[in-house]
Amino acid sequence: MGMGWGRYEANVPGLQQGADDISGLSSETDEVTDNFIADQANYRGWDGYSDDFYHQVHPKYQANNDMCVSFLRGMSSAFSALELATLGNLSNIAGTQSYAQDAIDQQAAKLDVPSDEVGGGRH
């Protein structure tokens, strides 16, 4: 997107490509998260269940796992929000471009009418 004196330009193809690139990242991140959670079953009991070693290492192990899941869930939400925002921007730009083009077309049509029909026009 760029802005010059009295002019605004949007990179619509770039925004569309960005939305396409982002699309699916949220569900892919959810899949990674679900696989990570399921994989933890393979390690259940590695640190024991109630002995001193368990009480020493399990809280940190569990906290690390919870932090990873929380981070991945946050990334999934961020990807989803970014995709929606990008698509929203594209929609707004398309609506603005359409409105502006309609206004230009209407004005051009008025100016193309012979001057004796509208009492003015191009000279």
Side-chain angles (χ1 to χ4, degrees):
M1 292 183 206
M3 226 171 162
W5 181 256
R7 181 178 171 158
Y8 173 81
E9 295 176 25
N11 182 351
V12 174
L15 283 170
Q16 184 62 59
Q17 183 62 52
D20 292 345
D21 290 346
I22 295 164
S23 178
L25 289 178
S26 179
S27 61
E28 289 175 22
T29 305
D30 287 339
E31 184 178 343
V32 168
T33 307
D34 293 341
N35 289 342
F36 176 79
I37 292 169
D39 193 46
Q40 293 311 301
N42 295 327
Y43 305 101
R44 195 163 290 125
W46 74 270
D47 53 358
Y49 291 98
S50 61
D51 59 12
D52 289 341
F53 181 73
Y54 172 86
H55 291 296
Q56 179 184 357
V57 300
H58 186 76
K60 181 67 173 171
Y61 172 75
Q62 189 61 50
N64 285 339
N65 289 342
D66 292 346
M67 189 246 348
C68 288
V69 169
S70 178
F71 175 78
L72 289 168
R73 295 283 188 226
M75 290 299 297
S76 176
S77 294
F79 286 138
S80 182
L82 185 57
E83 179 182 9
L84 289 174
T86 304
L87 291 173
N89 283 340
L90 277 170
S91 178
N92 288 338
I93 289 166
T96 300
Q97 286 177 333
S98 177
Y99 175 81
Q101 191 60 54
D102 287 348
I104 291 167
D105 292 344
Q106 287 176 357
Q107 186 62 33
K110 288 178 185 176
L111 295 174
D112 287 339
V113 175
S115 62
D116 59 341
E117 291 184 25
V118 294
R122 289 187 184 163
H123 299 289

